[in-house]
Amino acid sequence: RLSAKTQRALLAEACTMRALLLAVLAAGSHALRVAMHARPVPPRCGTPVCSVASPLSESIQQTTQAEDVVIFSKSWCPYCAKTKALFDDMAQPYTAIELDQRADGDELQAALLDLTQQRTVPNVFVKGQHIGGNDDSQQAARSGKLKALLEADTLTGVVVPTAGAGSSVTAAQLQAKESGKMITETEATVRKVAGVGIGLATAFSYATTGLAYTALASGIFGAVCVYRTGAEYQ
């Protein structure tokens, strides 16, 4: 017959293993649900297909996302001049990148073709969205699309401030949350804390109960997956 102390020790070990198993299963299930339901983020270029990102492509995307208006241009091009005049008339600052004045101009134009399926200049981006050439820009100005884009809320990051007194959450952020592009600060924090908790529980069980290495690896993997579902949004 086992002593009461031994019985309590065995019961505690069984409870620990059960909790660890449930945590790992929950982490794996959550990570799987996130992967299954994650919405693919469309390329900011607004084109049907973008090729595998190259350093130049990444540079283009970073520039177009950082500036309100970017015009890829050639200094001698009359259509580029018309597009610049359009934004000048709107008193809208823009960044003009003159491809014919850059050593990597040809490569940059090839990267733009890859991203936007547009070979010609001007190649215009507004608030990270690809507009097109001069005709497209003029039409967007006439239709009010340019004004709407320029006046739209700019989303910084992908975490919505938690609603409450003094919250700075905007309608655009709430819409992004509903579409799965953003999550709340609270949800991001909960996910990260849960990931850390699972990792600590796994490490503790490994240190105190002789947990098998495979179970340790599974627990750590699950912890990282849960943590990243929150951290990747910040």
Side-chain angles (χ1 to χ4, degrees), residues 23-24 26-32 34 159 183-200 202 218-234:
V24 171
S29 174
H30 181 81
L32 180 60
V34 169
V159 174
I183 63 174
T184 65
E185 284 180 328
T186 301
E187 186 176 354
T189 300
V190 167
R191 292 183 186 188
K192 293 196 295 182
V193 170
V196 172
I198 293 171
L200 291 175
T202 301
S218 297
I220 295 299
F221 176 76
V224 171
C225 287
V226 174
Y227 183 87
R228 289 187 62 185
T229 62
E232 70 185 357
Y233 280 88
Q234 297 177 309

Side-chain angles (χ1 to χ4, degrees), residues 83-144:
T83 300
K84 294 170 187 173
L86 169 68
F87 288 103
D88 287 336
D89 291 343
M90 297 173 63
Q92 171 61 49
Y94 56 83
T95 298
I97 299 175
E98 307 295 349
L99 300 179
D100 60 319
Q101 296 178 357
R102 291 178 55 127
D104 62 349
D106 290 342
E107 291 81 2
L108 197 54
Q109 190 165 9
L112 282 166
L113 173 61
D114 241 8
L115 285 170
T116 67
Q117 312 303 306
Q118 178 182 325
R119 185 184 302 277
T120 58
V121 291
N123 204 332
V124 182
F125 292 79
V126 175
K127 288 291 186 80
Q129 180 174 330
H130 180 237
I131 300 301
N134 176 64
D135 289 346
D136 300 307
S137 299
Q138 300 289 346
Q139 175 59 35
R142 289 192 294 269
S143 68

Side-chain angles (χ1 to χ4, degrees), residues 28-73:
S29 174
H30 181 81
L32 180 60
R33 288 198 303 273
V34 169
M36 290 177 63
H37 295 291
R39 303 185 181 206
V41 178
R44 293 296 298 274
C45 60
T47 57
V49 178
C50 282
S51 62
V52 176
S54 66
L56 277 178
S57 297
E58 292 177 356
S59 175
I60 291 169
Q61 292 175 338
Q62 289 172 1
T63 301
T64 57
Q65 291 171 15
E67 304 292 338
D68 283 348
V69 179
V70 180
I71 304 172
F72 291 92
S73 166

